[in-house]
């Protein structure tokens, strides 16, 4: 069975200017520096990396919240990178977003009912109020919030409940692709597992495709089918979940995996403690960006950038070792 | 027994319009010399308030210690005056906080902030303190320590700042270090560095560490013993191996099961239904009863005691009843005999 490609990101780049004084030399941050990946319909693609690696920016480039500088974002074969704001409106419906902070992503002055009905009012101006209400009620129930909460304000809910409301809002327009940017990072573990289970259930029911952005490898392993690992604006490894977690190839992926504390004191594993800090994105090292911290760095790594290349079926690595 | 810290029946509350509201409800635990004890729990369970109570740092908040004692090397910290307490703080007792960004003074150079603590407690000259500070920075793995002494906090990365915090905290060779979520704000590769630094300095100085965290992975990695808190109470405490191999309390079991583990390959995670009750709206009886999968009638009416079973304490009626039955039988047989 051939998998249908829903989203194809091709060599996307984004540069942010750093605000400096008028006279100083202009400086730039290469937030996303040539990222390419594809997401098939119905699968979950996990994007992991440490803070500042550009994973959130990538998510925002995909759904047009930030304009792409270079490269293509193909959604069902249509390039969205250079279309106007007006044309974008067509694609807002099938592409929705879940945000990290359930406290900041819901307007404190709107009732839950109004928050959830707003997207319908914008995209279906002719829909009657009762029709909207019934859609909202059904979805809210699916997300585990009872109907009688409709008249309440966001501050009356706990973090987990707010995230459920955020998820319900993203589903209102029956999207195909959901970009979830750290959806469980702000939640306690017992609530985190509730939300992860909910996201899996909804995926099955509505045949959703997720772009799941997170810094937490255990969460990504749990929810994803394929995983991309980012470091300083570039993908260093893209592979199926099985390949990444059983046979990681890139030294950074290996170090990242070995750094996660496992909730089992009996597991004694060889830990690779990386030396040094993450270099600043405004002044990344030449050659392979990871070479300053890489335990296996060679001479070539300091000069030449390694490109992503196929090393196994469904496994791509950007490293001179391969 | 080398008991360094013994907290007995500690109750801490916050002043509200309608009187005191307790947040920590009579908790007792101890930390031995050279031991790392973890306190785990979700947000709002009272773990940070416990650490602030031990350090007596609640006076800026409307909180206060209502009852109980905190024995540190045979001295009750709750009975000390603020002036006496200052001699302990930063010296014998030290603390590192979650946010390395906000716990350093942004307008003072790193060197000055380190020297301040050292000169205050160790009676050193400025020059000696400077040398001592550099050696401290080196011991936590900061490269070019001499240069960092002249940097301001904003010039350092998050991981570096947390190293500086640790250097300040251990500069007077404390016997007890309280670490309140020391790695929560950091990335995993940096977290691994910081945890290994902490373990190293702990071994060198035979420090006791009280590690407060919500991350069961961190607990399993570094702690010797664990205390699990829920709604201001200790629900279970045991050695790390015991707790992860054979958790007793339904809450601990649920907590461990809800963490996704790499290579586990399950489709659905276990999840504890519901949310943590708010302090103003606590259920009567066992505080975990509304979310518990093994709830019984008695759980809703009466709160269980923390019962002690061979180095493994647990607050749950499931185990209480067995104990009582045993007592019953024993009583019965002795009466007959």
């Amino acid at each position: 069975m051939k998998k249908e490609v829903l989203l194809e990101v091709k060599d996307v780049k984004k540069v942010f200017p750093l605000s400096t004084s008028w006279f100083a030399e202009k400086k730039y941050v290469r937030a996303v520096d040539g990222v390419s990946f594809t997401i098939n319909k119905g699968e979950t693609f996990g994007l992991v990396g440490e803070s500042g690696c550009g994973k959130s920016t990538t998510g925002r480039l995909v759904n047009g919240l930030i304009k792409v500088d270079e490269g293509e974002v193909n959604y069902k074969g249509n390039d969205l990178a250079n279309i106007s704001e007006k044309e974008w409106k067509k694609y807002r419906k099938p592409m929705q977003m879940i945000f990290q902070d359930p406290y900041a992503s819901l307007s404190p002055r709107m009732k839950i009912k109004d928050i959830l009905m707003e997207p319908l009012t914008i995209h279906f101006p002719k829909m009657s109020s009762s029709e909207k209400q019934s859609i909202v009620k059904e979805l809210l129930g699916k997300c585990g919030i009872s109907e009688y909460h409709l008249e309440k304000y966001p501050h009356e809910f706990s973090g987990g409940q707010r995230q459920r409301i955020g998820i319900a809002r993203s589903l209102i327009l029956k999207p195909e692709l959901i970009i979830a940017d750290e959806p469980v990072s702000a939640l306690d573990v017992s609530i985190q597992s509730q939300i992860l289970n909910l996201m899996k259930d909804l995926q099955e029911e509505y045949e959703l495709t997720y772009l799941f952005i997170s810094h937490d490898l255990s969460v990504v392993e749990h929810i994803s089918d394929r995983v991309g690992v980012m470091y300083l604006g570039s993908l260093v490894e893209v592979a199926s979940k099985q390949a990444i977690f059983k046979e990681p190839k890139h030294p950074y992926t290996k170090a990242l995996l070995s750094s996660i504390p496992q909730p089992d004191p009996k597991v004694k594993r060889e830990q690779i403690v990386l030396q040094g800090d993450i270099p600043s994105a405004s002044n990344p090292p030449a050659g392979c960006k990871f070479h300053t911290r890489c335990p296996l760095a060679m001479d070539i790594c300091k000069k030449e950038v390694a490109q992503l290349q196929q090393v196994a079926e469904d496994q791509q690595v950007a490293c001179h070792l391969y | 027994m080398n008991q360094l810290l013994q907290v007995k029946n500690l109750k801490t509350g916050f002043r509200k319009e309608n009187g005191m509201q307790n947040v920590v409800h009579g908790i007792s635990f101890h930390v031995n010399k050279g031991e790392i004890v973890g306190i785990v729990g979700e947000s709002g369970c009272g773990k940070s308030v416990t650490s602030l109570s031990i350090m007596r740092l609640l006076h800026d908040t409307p909180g206060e210690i209502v009852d109980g004692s905190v024995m540190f090397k045979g001295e009750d910290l709750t009975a000390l005056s603020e002036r006496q307490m200052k001699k302990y703080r930063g010296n014998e007792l030290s603390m590192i906080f979650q946010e390395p960004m906000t716990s350093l003074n942004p307008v003072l150079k790193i060197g000055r902030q380190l020297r301040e603590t050292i000169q205050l407690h160790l009676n050193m000259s400025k020059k000696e303190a400077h040398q001592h500070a550099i050696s401290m920075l080196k011991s936590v793995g900061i490269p070019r320590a001499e240069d960092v002494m002249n940097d301001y906090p904003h010039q350092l990365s998050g991981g570096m700042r947390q190293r500086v915090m640790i250097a300040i905290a251990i500069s007077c060779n404390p016997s007890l270090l309280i670490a309140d979520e020391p790695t929560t704000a950091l990335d995993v590769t940096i977290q691994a560095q910081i945890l290994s630094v902490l373990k190293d300095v702990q071994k060198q100085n035979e420090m006791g560490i009280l590690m407060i965290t919500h991350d069961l992975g961190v607990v399993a990695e570094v702690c010797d013993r664990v205390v699990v808190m829920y709604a201001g109470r200790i629900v279970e405490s045991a050695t790390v191996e015991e707790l992860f191999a054979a958790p007793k309390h339904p809450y601990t079991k649920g907590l461990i099961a809800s963490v996704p583990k790499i290579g586990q390959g399950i489709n659905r995670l276990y999840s504890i239904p519901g949310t943590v009750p708010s302090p103003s709206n606590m259920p009567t009886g066992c505080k975990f009863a509304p979310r518990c999968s093994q709830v019984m009638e008695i759980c809703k009416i009466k709160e269980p005691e923390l019962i002690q079973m061979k180095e493994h304490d647990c607050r749950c009626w499931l185990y209480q009843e067995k104990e009582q039955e045993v007592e019953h039988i024993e009583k019965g047989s002795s009466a007959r005999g």
Side-chain angles (χ1 to χ4, degrees), chain A residues 49-51 158 188-194 196-197 200-201 204 215 217-219 221-222 245 252 255-257 259-266 268-269 271 273-278 293, chain B residues 42-43 157 159-160 187-193 195-196 214-218 220-221 240-241 244-245 255 258-275 291:
Chain A
E50 297 181 279
S51 44
S158 68
D188 275 320
V189 267
S190 72
I191 308 299
Q192 173 177 307
S193 62
Q194 291 176 1
L196 288 175
N197 284 342
K200 275 202 157 186
D201 293 344
E204 248 168 61
H215 70 281
L217 280 148
S218 333
V219 168
E221 198 253 7
H222 176 72
F245 289 94
Y252 177 63
L256 205 57
L257 276 172
S259 311
I260 319 166
Q262 286 294 304
D264 187 351
K266 280 190 209 128
K268 287 281 171 268
R269 70 224 136 76
Q271 202 173 10
V273 176
L274 285 179
Q275 296 303 310
D277 278 319
I278 307 165
R293 299 173 80 198
Chain B
E42 296 182 280
S43 35
S157 66
M160 284 296 225
D187 282 316
V188 269
T189 59
I190 309 296
Q191 166 169 294
Q193 292 175 354
L195 289 180
S196 83
H214 70 281
D215 190 334
L216 286 166
V218 170
E221 196 110 308
V240 170
E241 290 81 16
F244 284 92
L255 211 55
S258 30
V259 186
K261 290 167 202 75
I262 285 175
Q264 194 180 24
I266 50 161
N267 196 26
R268 285 186 69 84
L269 286 171
Y270 177 82
S271 71
I272 307 172
T275 50
R291 303 177 73 192

Side-chain angles (χ1 to χ4, degrees), chain B residues 193-211:
Chain B
Q193 292 175 354
I194 297 293
L195 289 180
S196 83
V197 166
L198 266 180
K199 275 195 275 189
D200 287 348
V201 295
Q202 187 260 344
K203 260 190 214 126
Q204 276 167 26
N205 307 353
E206 283 214 323
M207 254 184 330
I209 297 185
L210 183 62
M211 177 81 106

Side-chain angles (χ1 to χ4, degrees), chain A residues 152-309:
Chain A
K152 286 188 179 170
Y153 287 94
H155 71 90
E156 295 172 80
F157 295 91
S158 68
Q161 283 175 312
R162 282 185 217 206
Q163 201 57 302
R164 287 171 190 273
I165 294 165
I167 292 174
R169 176 176 62 180
S170 73
L171 290 174
I172 282 283
L173 294 170
K174 305 227 178 304
E176 289 168 314
L177 175 69
I178 289 195
I179 298 159
D181 190 358
E182 303 263 14
V184 294
S185 316
L187 307 172
D188 275 320
V189 267
S190 72
I191 308 299
Q192 173 177 307
S193 62
Q194 291 176 1
I195 298 294
L196 288 175
N197 284 342
L198 173 69
M199 285 184 70
K200 275 202 157 186
D201 293 344
L202 292 169
Q203 180 169 37
E204 248 168 61
E205 186 166 352
Y206 296 103
E207 295 173 345
L208 297 168
T209 307
Y210 287 134
L211 170 58
F212 192 96
I213 300 166
S214 176
H215 70 281
D216 189 332
L217 280 148
S218 333
V219 168
V220 165
E221 198 253 7
H222 176 72
I223 200 156
S224 307
D225 301 308
R226 284 169 58 239
V227 179
V229 181
M230 278 185 89
Y231 186 76
L232 276 179
S234 310
L235 277 166
V236 296
E237 187 159 0
V238 184
S240 67
K241 171 169 84 178
Q242 289 76 12
I244 282 254
F245 289 94
K246 291 232 173 73
E247 288 171 50
K249 289 272 187 335
H250 198 282
Y252 177 63
T253 317
K254 286 182 188 168
L256 205 57
L257 276 172
S258 82
S259 311
I260 319 166
Q262 286 294 304
D264 187 351
K266 280 190 209 128
V267 180
K268 287 281 171 268
R269 70 224 136 76
E270 218 177 296
Q271 202 173 10
I272 312 166
V273 176
L274 285 179
Q275 296 303 310
D277 278 319
I278 307 165
S280 140
S282 62
N283 188 19
C288 171
K289 287 173 186 159
F290 185 58
H291 84 256
T292 51
R293 299 173 80 198
C294 184
L296 304 170
M298 303 174 289
D299 272 341
I300 186 172
C301 306
K302 291 171 192 159
K303 293 171 211 144
E304 271 179 55
V305 180
Q307 301 296 334
L308 264 189
Q309 48 188 323

